[in-house]
mmCIF file with all atom_site columns, all heavy atoms in Angstrom:
data_model
loop_
_atom_site.group_PDB
_atom_site.id
_atom_site.type_symbol
_atom_site.label_atom_id
_atom_site.label_alt_id
_atom_site.label_comp_id
_atom_site.label_asym_id
_atom_site.label_entity_id
_atom_site.label_seq_id
_atom_site.pdbx_PDB_ins_code
_atom_site.Cartn_x
_atom_site.Cartn_y
_atom_site.Cartn_z
_atom_site.occupancy
_atom_site.B_iso_or_equiv
_atom_site.pdbx_formal_charge
_atom_site.auth_seq_id
_atom_site.auth_comp_id
_atom_site.auth_asym_id
_atom_site.auth_atom_id
_atom_site.pdbx_PDB_model_num
ATOM 1  N N   . ASP A 1 137 ? -0.719  2.335  -4.925 1.00 97.00 ? 154 ASP A N   1
ATOM 2  C CA  . ASP A 1 137 ? 0.092   1.918  -3.749 1.00 97.00 ? 154 ASP A CA  1
ATOM 3  C C   . ASP A 1 137 ? -0.298  2.637  -2.502 1.00 97.00 ? 154 ASP A C   1
ATOM 4  O O   . ASP A 1 137 ? -0.155  2.087  -1.347 1.00 97.00 ? 154 ASP A O   1
ATOM 5  C CB  . ASP A 1 137 ? 1.578   2.134  -4.074 1.00 97.00 ? 154 ASP A CB  1
ATOM 6  C CG  . ASP A 1 137 ? 2.129   1.182  -5.108 1.00 97.00 ? 154 ASP A CG  1
ATOM 7  O OD1 . ASP A 1 137 ? 1.257   0.512  -5.679 1.00 97.00 ? 154 ASP A OD1 1
ATOM 8  O OD2 . ASP A 1 137 ? 3.333   1.177  -5.316 1.00 97.00 ? 154 ASP A OD2 1
ATOM 9  N N   . ILE A 1 138 ? -0.738  3.914  -2.569 1.00 98.00 ? 155 ILE A N   1
ATOM 10 C CA  . ILE A 1 138 ? -1.098  4.620  -1.278 1.00 98.00 ? 155 ILE A CA  1
ATOM 11 C C   . ILE A 1 138 ? -2.230  3.927  -0.630 1.00 98.00 ? 155 ILE A C   1
ATOM 12 O O   . ILE A 1 138 ? -2.426  3.987  0.673  1.00 98.00 ? 155 ILE A O   1
ATOM 13 C CB  . ILE A 1 138 ? -1.528  6.153  -1.689 1.00 98.00 ? 155 ILE A CB  1
ATOM 14 C CG1 . ILE A 1 138 ? -1.823  6.888  -0.376 1.00 98.00 ? 155 ILE A CG1 1
ATOM 15 C CG2 . ILE A 1 138 ? -2.649  6.158  -2.601 1.00 98.00 ? 155 ILE A CG2 1
ATOM 16 C CD1 . ILE A 1 138 ? -0.615  7.044  0.573  1.00 98.00 ? 155 ILE A CD1 1
ATOM 17 N N   . PHE A 1 139 ? -3.083  3.212  -1.337 1.00 98.00 ? 156 PHE A N   1
ATOM 18 C CA  . PHE A 1 139 ? -4.282  2.663  -0.714 1.00 98.00 ? 156 PHE A CA  1
ATOM 19 C C   . PHE A 1 139 ? -3.898  1.367  0.162  1.00 98.00 ? 156 PHE A C   1
ATOM 20 O O   . PHE A 1 139 ? -4.710  0.926  0.888  1.00 98.00 ? 156 PHE A O   1
ATOM 21 C CB  . PHE A 1 139 ? -5.397  2.373  -1.704 1.00 98.00 ? 156 PHE A CB  1
ATOM 22 C CG  . PHE A 1 139 ? -5.835  3.505  -2.426 1.00 98.00 ? 156 PHE A CG  1
ATOM 23 C CD1 . PHE A 1 139 ? -6.109  3.484  -3.821 1.00 98.00 ? 156 PHE A CD1 1
ATOM 24 C CD2 . PHE A 1 139 ? -6.073  4.726  -1.753 1.00 98.00 ? 156 PHE A CD2 1
ATOM 25 C CE1 . PHE A 1 139 ? -6.574  4.561  -4.490 1.00 98.00 ? 156 PHE A CE1 1
ATOM 26 C CE2 . PHE A 1 139 ? -6.610  5.806  -2.351 1.00 98.00 ? 156 PHE A CE2 1
ATOM 27 C CZ  . PHE A 1 139 ? -6.829  5.745  -3.771 1.00 98.00 ? 156 PHE A CZ  1
ATOM 28 N N   . ALA A 1 140 ? -2.775  0.773  -0.225 1.00 98.00 ? 157 ALA A N   1
ATOM 29 C CA  . ALA A 1 140 ? -2.378  -0.602 0.372  1.00 98.00 ? 157 ALA A CA  1
ATOM 30 C C   . ALA A 1 140 ? -2.300  -0.402 1.953  1.00 98.00 ? 157 ALA A C   1
ATOM 31 O O   . ALA A 1 140 ? -2.888  -1.139 2.681  1.00 98.00 ? 157 ALA A O   1
ATOM 32 C CB  . ALA A 1 140 ? -1.138  -1.125 -0.231 1.00 98.00 ? 157 ALA A CB  1
ATOM 33 N N   . GLY A 1 141 ? -1.421  0.566  2.337  1.00 98.00 ? 158 GLY A N   1
ATOM 34 C CA  . GLY A 1 141 ? -1.225  0.700  3.785  1.00 98.00 ? 158 GLY A CA  1
ATOM 35 C C   . GLY A 1 141 ? -2.457  1.419  4.489  1.00 98.00 ? 158 GLY A C   1
ATOM 36 O O   . GLY A 1 141 ? -2.859  0.974  5.638  1.00 98.00 ? 158 GLY A O   1
ATOM 37 N N   . LEU A 1 142 ? -3.057  2.375  3.824  1.00 98.00 ? 159 LEU A N   1
ATOM 38 C CA  . LEU A 1 142 ? -4.256  2.977  4.431  1.00 98.00 ? 159 LEU A CA  1
ATOM 39 C C   . LEU A 1 142 ? -5.357  1.973  4.647  1.00 98.00 ? 159 LEU A C   1
ATOM 40 O O   . LEU A 1 142 ? -6.122  2.087  5.635  1.00 98.00 ? 159 LEU A O   1
ATOM 41 C CB  . LEU A 1 142 ? -4.720  4.109  3.492  1.00 98.00 ? 159 LEU A CB  1
ATOM 42 C CG  . LEU A 1 142 ? -3.787  5.297  3.349  1.00 98.00 ? 159 LEU A CG  1
ATOM 43 C CD1 . LEU A 1 142 ? -4.501  6.426  2.398  1.00 98.00 ? 159 LEU A CD1 1
ATOM 44 C CD2 . LEU A 1 142 ? -3.602  5.973  4.814  1.00 98.00 ? 159 LEU A CD2 1
ATOM 45 N N   . ALA A 1 143 ? -5.591  0.986  3.684  1.00 98.00 ? 160 ALA A N   1
ATOM 46 C CA  . ALA A 1 143 ? -6.643  0.060  3.802  1.00 98.00 ? 160 ALA A CA  1
ATOM 47 C C   . ALA A 1 143 ? -6.409  -0.785 5.047  1.00 98.00 ? 160 ALA A C   1
ATOM 48 O O   . ALA A 1 143 ? -7.367  -1.290 5.700  1.00 98.00 ? 160 ALA A O   1
ATOM 49 C CB  . ALA A 1 143 ? -6.727  -0.790 2.496  1.00 98.00 ? 160 ALA A CB  1
ATOM 50 N N   . VAL A 1 144 ? -5.145  -1.172 5.354  1.00 98.00 ? 161 VAL A N   1
ATOM 51 C CA  . VAL A 1 144 ? -4.831  -1.990 6.530  1.00 98.00 ? 161 VAL A CA  1
ATOM 52 C C   . VAL A 1 144 ? -5.331  -1.252 7.827  1.00 98.00 ? 161 VAL A C   1
ATOM 53 O O   . VAL A 1 144 ? -5.980  -1.863 8.692  1.00 98.00 ? 161 VAL A O   1
ATOM 54 C CB  . VAL A 1 144 ? -3.348  -2.428 6.638  1.00 98.00 ? 161 VAL A CB  1
ATOM 55 C CG1 . VAL A 1 144 ? -3.075  -2.992 8.023  1.00 98.00 ? 161 VAL A CG1 1
ATOM 56 C CG2 . VAL A 1 144 ? -2.985  -3.251 5.466  1.00 98.00 ? 161 VAL A CG2 1
ATOM 57 N N   . LEU A 1 145 ? -4.951  0.039  7.919  1.00 98.00 ? 162 LEU A N   1
ATOM 58 C CA  . LEU A 1 145 ? -5.444  0.779  9.033  1.00 98.00 ? 162 LEU A CA  1
ATOM 59 C C   . LEU A 1 145 ? -6.913  0.935  9.050  1.00 98.00 ? 162 LEU A C   1
ATOM 60 O O   . LEU A 1 145 ? -7.484  0.856  10.120 1.00 98.00 ? 162 LEU A O   1
ATOM 61 C CB  . LEU A 1 145 ? -4.692  2.185  9.010  1.00 98.00 ? 162 LEU A CB  1
ATOM 62 C CG  . LEU A 1 145 ? -3.201  2.276  9.062  1.00 98.00 ? 162 LEU A CG  1
ATOM 63 C CD1 . LEU A 1 145 ? -2.674  3.662  8.879  1.00 98.00 ? 162 LEU A CD1 1
ATOM 64 C CD2 . LEU A 1 145 ? -2.707  1.643  10.416 1.00 98.00 ? 162 LEU A CD2 1
ATOM 65 N N   . ALA A 1 146 ? -7.524  1.176  7.916  1.00 98.00 ? 163 ALA A N   1
ATOM 66 C CA  . ALA A 1 146 ? -8.961  1.362  7.958  1.00 98.00 ? 163 ALA A CA  1
ATOM 67 C C   . ALA A 1 146 ? -9.692  0.040  8.378  1.00 98.00 ? 163 ALA A C   1
ATOM 68 O O   . ALA A 1 146 ? -10.679 0.113  9.085  1.00 98.00 ? 163 ALA A O   1
ATOM 69 C CB  . ALA A 1 146 ? -9.372  1.720  6.479  1.00 98.00 ? 163 ALA A CB  1
#
Side-chain angles (χ1 to χ4, degrees):
D154 291 8
I155 183 61
F156 299 138
L159 292 178
V161 171
L162 297 175

